[in-house]
Amino acid sequence: AQTVTQSQPEMSVQEAETVTLSCTYDTSESDYYLFWYKQPPSRQMILVIRQEAYKQQNATENRFSVNFQKAAKSFSLKISDSQLGDAAMYFCASENRDDKIIFGKGTRLHILP
Amino acid sequence: DTGVSQDPRHKITKRGQNVTFRCDPISEHNRLYWYRQTLGQGPEFLTYFQNEAQLEKSRLLSDRFSAERPKGSFSTLEIQRTEQGDSAMYLCASSSDSGRRADTQYFGPGTRLTVL
């Protein structure tokens, strides 16, 4: 079975600092995708970044980057230069060949001014 | 492109009543997904459509739940004989089918259901 685990229910970071959100996953497949989604308070969930499992290179989107450790089944998200608008729930997720996204329980990120 | 829309945004109902939610995907997106999100949890997959065909249903989707997507455009999710355990946010997402794997899913704002 496909599982995604986020062990940090909440985190806080000072504005302009860097924060890393952790995620581990488990899958028996070799072809899968990993995602980080952001869900701001009372707003729609949006995709932050995605990683194809077959790619060695870590994905990067502006201030957001991932550390993908395939052997360890670890997929952490690093947010650099944190901004107030980054405050949200962040969900780690995976998708196998069956096209279903499996989400973790989320990490609530607080940005301290 | 107006994004994925859902209606209503909030629904309060009494236990035992039937409710129906609507999702309008991004135009030209032929895949549509339904998820359920309870407090403190991530979204859980319920079902999805490729055009008008319902391709998969989660075991979470009991017989009281039914989803349709007539003509492959908007979709409805109906819950019959609602129970308090059905209280949740119901999210809809859509994606194109570009032929590559894992096309980005775009989420709607959700319908928050409260069953009294």
Side-chain angles (χ1 to χ4, degrees):
Chain A
Q2 192 180 349
T3 60
V4 176
T5 303
Q6 293 179 251
S7 58
Q8 305 153 315
E10 286 193 68
M11 292 191 71
S12 297
V13 63
Q14 208 74 34
E15 194 176 3
E17 296 295 308
T18 295
V19 64
T20 299
L21 310 184
S22 302
C23 172
T24 58
Y25 63 93
D26 193 16
T27 178
S28 56
E29 300 199 11
S30 58
D31 182 16
Y32 57 91
Y33 287 71
L34 298 168
F35 310 91
W36 279 97
Y37 278 88
K38 171 184 178 181
Q39 189 175 41
S42 302
R43 293 181 60 190
Q44 286 159 246
M45 181 133 32
I46 58 172
L47 179 66
V48 174
I49 198 165
R50 59 185 279 152
Q51 173 82 42
E52 289 88 341
Y54 63 86
K55 287 189 176 178
Q56 300 283 351
Q57 189 172 5
N58 288 325
T60 300
E61 288 286 344
N62 301 314
R63 298 182 295 107
F64 299 87
S65 62
V66 298
N67 183 3
F68 175 44
Q69 301 290 325
K70 191 171 184 177
K73 295 185 177 177
S74 168
F75 184 62
S76 61
L77 174 70
K78 185 172 82 171
I79 306 174
S80 303
D81 185 27
S82 298
Q83 300 175 1
L84 294 178
D86 295 334
M89 281 291 287
Y90 286 82
F91 293 98
C92 180
S94 70
E95 180 175 338
N96 287 349
R97 297 186 62 82
D98 58 7
D99 297 324
K100 291 185 302 186
I101 295 182
I102 304 298
F103 289 86
K105 291 187 175 183
T107 296
R108 183 171 299 282
L109 179 65
H110 303 277
I111 310 296
L112 306 174
Chain B
D1 181 355
T2 58
V4 179
S5 61
Q6 293 186 245
D7 184 67
R9 295 289 305 275
H10 303 273
K11 178 71 177 178
I12 299 174
T13 190
K14 293 183 179 178
R15 188 177 54 184
Q17 299 294 305
N18 299 344
V19 295
T20 300
F21 310 140
R22 176 180 171 126
C23 171
D24 286 89
I26 293 172
S27 57
E28 297 145 16
H29 278 190
N30 50 14
R31 288 196 170 190
L32 187 148
Y33 303 79
W34 284 100
Y35 295 86
R36 182 174 68 187
Q37 185 178 19
T38 53
L39 204 60
Q41 303 291 322
E44 297 173 292
F45 169 82
L46 292 179
T47 188
Y48 88 100
F49 294 82
Q50 171 93 11
N51 299 312
E52 65 273 13
Q54 188 173 16
L55 296 188
E56 187 163 352
K57 292 167 58 174
S58 164
R59 58 183 170 80
L60 293 174
L61 217 63
S62 74
D63 291 345
R64 298 184 297 105
F65 289 71
S66 63
E68 295 182 342
R69 194 184 181 196
K71 303 178 184 178
S73 55
F74 71 91
S75 176
T76 58
L77 178 68
E78 181 183 15
I79 309 174
Q80 296 182 326
R81 305 181 303 282
T82 53
E83 301 173 356
Q84 288 183 325
D86 297 332
S87 295
M89 176 77 85
Y90 289 84
L91 297 170
C92 176
S94 71
S95 70
S96 62
D97 184 14
S98 66
R100 68 170 189 156
R101 280 285 318 284
D103 289 293
T104 298
Q105 294 188 22
Y106 294 86
F107 282 80
T111 293
R112 182 167 295 283
L113 173 66
T114 302
V115 181
L116 301 176

